[in-house]
Amino acid sequence: MAWNQGDPDALEALLPLVYEELRQLAGRYMKCERSGHTLQATALVNEVYLRLIDVQRVRWQNRAHFFAMAARLMRRILVEAARARDARKRGAGTPIVSLDEALVVPIEPDSDLVALDEALTALAAVDPRKSRVVEMRFFGGLSLDETAEALQVSRDTVKRDWKMAKLWLLRELQRGRT
């Protein structure tokens, strides 16, 4: 990638090509947020863009790597916003966010996003690859194959990591609710 070779105009050329995919990714994130959230999908993409410009030391490997980084940045931005609001209220009308068809975790718009982030950070301390798999699959919307490519492991490894990580996170999130 020209961006890797230090071409500052490469990002400018790349972003229009991936903008719509970034907006879709941001839209998935925003569906999990509380209604009336001040940050919209376009603003989230713009914030990611600003942070990507500041990323100097990343050697972009491929498309999956780029979207994995974008997913990580979106997660950070939303968690930062949730922490800033410090909205830890419990109540009815909790939206459901599916980690997979087989696993559904109730996510309260702000506080549970923070809880999920904390659980994912704890998972990263135990098993960094499993944490990255969740980040890429759940937050980044990457397929099993794209995740395997970005992590340079087999599809079967990603599938096993995904299954184990979902169970681990569900246990951690349930433990935090009791």
Side-chain angles (χ1 to χ4, degrees):
M1 292 177 94
W3 193 8
N4 278 342
Q5 278 74 47
D7 181 355
D9 297 324
L11 180 61
E12 295 292 332
L14 175 65
L15 279 177
L17 302 173
V18 297
Y19 182 81
E20 189 52 38
E21 286 186 69
L22 288 174
R23 279 227 353 98
Q24 289 174 1
L25 178 59
R28 284 194 297 268
Y29 271 105
M30 297 311 295
K31 284 181 185 176
C32 300
E33 291 296 307
R34 64 179 166 74
S35 59
H37 194 287
T38 56
L39 189 62
Q40 300 299 316
T42 301
L44 183 55
V45 171
N46 291 341
E47 183 66 26
V48 167
Y49 171 77
L50 292 174
R51 292 187 186 197
L52 283 172
I53 288 174
D54 288 339
V55 176
Q56 301 290 325
R57 297 180 306 260
V58 175
R59 303 271 321 154
W60 300 104
Q61 299 166 7
N62 51 37
R63 177 187 176 281
H65 184 225
F66 175 82
F67 280 102
M69 178 61 79
R72 175 173 279 182
L73 289 173
M74 285 184 195
R75 171 184 163 209
R76 286 182 187 163
I77 292 163
L78 290 173
V79 169
E80 288 168 8
R83 284 192 172 127
R85 287 186 299 271
D86 196 31
R88 295 202 175 267
K89 297 179 184 175
R90 303 278 180 197
T94 302
I96 301 296
V97 176
S98 172
L99 287 177
D100 192 34
E101 296 79 30
L103 177 65
V104 177
V105 178
I107 298 289
E108 276 187 31
D110 289 328
S111 62
D112 283 352
L113 180 60
V114 172
L116 178 58
D117 180 65
E118 289 169 355
L120 200 52
T121 300
L123 176 59
V126 175
D127 192 327
R129 189 182 67 213
K130 284 181 179 65
S131 177
R132 296 284 320 271
V133 166
V134 172
E135 193 169 67
M136 290 178 191
R137 298 274 328 207
F138 179 65
F139 290 102
L142 272 63
S143 69
L144 288 171
D145 292 329
E146 290 170 326
T147 303
E149 181 182 342
L151 294 175
Q152 298 178 336
V153 296
S154 73
R155 184 182 198 277
D156 287 340
T157 297
V158 170
K159 200 172 181 179
R160 279 190 304 274
D161 284 354
W162 177 232
K163 183 177 181 178
M164 294 301 296
K166 289 185 298 182
L167 293 172
W168 193 93
L169 288 170
L170 180 60
R171 187 190 72 216
E172 288 298 306
L173 290 171
Q174 287 174 339
R175 184 180 297 160
R177 292 181 194 280
T178 58

